[in-house]
Amino acid sequence: MIIVTGGAGFIGSNIVAALEKAGKKDIVVCDTLGTDDKWRNIAKRELCAVVPPDDLFDYMEGHEEEIEAVVHMGAISATTETDADLIIQTNFSLSLWLWNFCAAYDKQFIYASSAATYGDGALGFDDNPELEHVNALRPLNAYGWSKALFDRKVAREVKEGRPTPPQFAGLKFFNVYGPNEYHKGGQKSVVAHIFPKVKANEPVELFKSYHPDYADGWQLRDFVWVGDCVNVVLWLLDNPQVSGLFNVGAGEARSFYDLAKSTFAALGFPEKITYKEMPEQLRGKYQYYTKADLTRLRAAGYTAPMTTLEEGVRQYVQDFLNKEDSYL
């Protein structure tokens, strides 16, 4: 049995689909489905159970023997969320309970950290797991802070020799895009946001730059295809000897202009791009450059190539966004 928290969410539902394809029979999704179409993210899957977050502890404590691994993707992932109490309850306290459970019962534990832990990138994008390093990072929002707080807790547990799960891996996801993100509203990837206009062959708007080193639309991000994130998770489950904190990105910094151009190209259209003012509340908390350093992941033994931006966007547009059924 594998527990996937956030299993009806974006990355989580892609992991669930991959686990099913790999032949895993007992997959448990822990998530809230709400009243929108989020349920469609898991509608094609054969599941052992769908457990509400409030019932998760009781469920797991009744299935200690059957559980093989916990893949913890559940979180409040909105960088604009301001309810810090809710963020801590969901992103830190739940993570700590799952850590303790997996340590007590010798279960594999893979969890989602975030590139948001790096803040403005002034200290680089080194996924050094040492306590001194993770303590020095300064995220720009409460979401990033909550993820960094748990990374720091893990680093403290390891440094002081306290009990740990037999395998523990924190994954610092960068800018992930791909199918099943449609429920995320304003937090969807730029590809998903601009696709309707691209399909209509209308101009799309990107943010202007407020940094002298970056032209409008040439702010740089590490855009990573969700399938690559899933492949890393499955590789870790197959390699329980690997533990640590790992960046998960494409390993390239590409512009939003490149992303928009690739979206138009996927439908055979020339790009039509204009620029708009960035909201005031974002200007002081905006990352102009991110790039995943994959050195530690490669050193751990992960050798699969990462999908290029052009190929990832092509797959997303042609195989999902431009289909009547856009769900995985």
Side-chain angles (χ1 to χ4, degrees), residues 34-275:
T35 57
D36 58 13
D37 283 343
K38 185 178 176 182
W39 64 270
R40 296 186 66 188
N41 286 349
I42 54 173
K44 300 173 185 178
R45 307 282 77 83
E46 182 179 339
L47 302 172
C48 177
V50 179
V51 180
D54 288 346
D55 297 339
L56 181 61
F57 298 170
D58 289 340
Y59 184 88
M60 290 180 63
E61 288 180 338
H63 294 82
E64 301 95 333
E65 297 302 319
E66 299 103 307
I67 295 171
E68 171 188 348
V70 175
V71 180
H72 180 37
M73 298 291 117
I76 292 176
S77 58
T79 57
T80 53
E81 177 60 60
T82 58
D83 187 339
D85 292 316
L86 181 62
I87 289 173
I88 284 297
Q89 178 184 351
T90 306
N91 295 5
F92 180 75
S93 299
L94 173 59
S95 301
L96 185 57
W97 189 92
L98 292 170
W99 168 276
N100 289 332
F101 176 94
C102 291
Y105 293 104
D106 292 324
K107 311 298 182 183
Q108 293 172 268
F109 182 57
I110 299 169
Y111 72 92
S113 180
S114 172
T117 59
Y118 292 120
D120 63 5
L123 296 178
F125 301 93
D126 181 4
D127 48 2
N128 185 337
E130 299 298 323
L131 181 61
E132 293 74 18
H133 179 78
V134 295
N135 272 345
L137 298 178
R138 293 294 178 265
L140 298 176
N141 50 57
Y143 163 72
W145 167 67
S146 70
K147 291 295 187 179
L149 186 64
F150 187 67
D151 288 343
R152 292 163 71 176
K153 178 63 174 174
V154 169
R156 173 70 67 183
E157 298 294 289
V158 172
K159 182 174 182 177
E160 297 186 354
R162 296 174 186 167
T164 69
Q167 179 191 34
F168 55 92
L171 303 180
K172 293 198 174 195
F173 295 119
F174 278 65
N175 286 70
V176 187
Y177 64 95
N180 291 16
E181 61 171 326
Y182 319 119
H183 64 285
K184 291 171 64 67
Q187 297 296 309
K188 289 187 298 188
S189 71
V190 173
V191 181
H193 272 297
I194 68 175
F195 175 75
K197 286 194 173 183
V198 173
K199 185 173 182 177
N201 200 16
E202 298 175 354
V204 301
E205 293 182 315
L206 302 178
F207 283 141
K208 291 182 177 180
S209 171
Y210 299 85
H211 191 298
D213 295 340
Y214 298 88
D216 292 343
W218 283 84
Q219 305 93 323
L220 300 174
R221 289 284 189 282
D222 188 318
F223 299 106
V224 57
W225 172 239
V226 68
D228 292 332
C229 301
V230 170
N231 288 341
V232 171
V233 171
L234 265 62
W235 177 80
L236 284 164
L237 290 172
D238 288 339
N239 289 271
Q241 77 282 1
V242 177
S243 291
L245 189 61
F246 302 106
N247 285 331
V248 180
E252 291 187 327
R254 301 292 300 273
S255 70
F256 284 97
Y257 172 84
D258 289 334
L259 187 76
K261 181 179 178 181
S262 296
T263 308
F264 277 102
L267 289 178
F269 297 144
E271 65 268 23
K272 297 179 180 179
I273 301 171
T274 61
Y275 301 97

Side-chain angles (χ1 to χ4, degrees), residues 264-295:
F264 277 102
L267 289 178
F269 297 144
E271 65 268 23
K272 297 179 180 179
I273 301 171
T274 61
Y275 301 97
K276 62 182 179 181
E277 302 291 340
M278 186 185 299
E280 289 282 353
Q281 65 268 26
L282 291 182
R283 295 182 192 180
K285 301 178 180 180
Y286 191 79
Q287 290 177 307
Y288 278 83
Y289 176 92
T290 66
K291 179 183 176 182
D293 182 347
L294 301 181
T295 302

Side-chain angles (χ1 to χ4, degrees), residues 1-9 11-21 23-33 38-52 59 63 180 328:
M1 178 184 291
I2 296 178
I3 307 282
V4 184
T5 72
I11 300 176
S13 65
N14 277 264
I15 292 170
V16 168
L19 289 171
E20 182 184 69
K21 185 176 181 180
K24 299 293 185 181
K25 301 299 182 185
D26 293 326
I27 305 169
V28 175
V29 165
C30 172
D31 213 330
T32 54
L33 299 179
K38 185 178 176 182
W39 64 270
R40 296 186 66 188
N41 286 349
I42 54 173
K44 300 173 185 178
R45 307 282 77 83
E46 182 179 339
L47 302 172
C48 177
V50 179
V51 180
Y59 184 88
H63 294 82
N180 291 16
L328 181 65

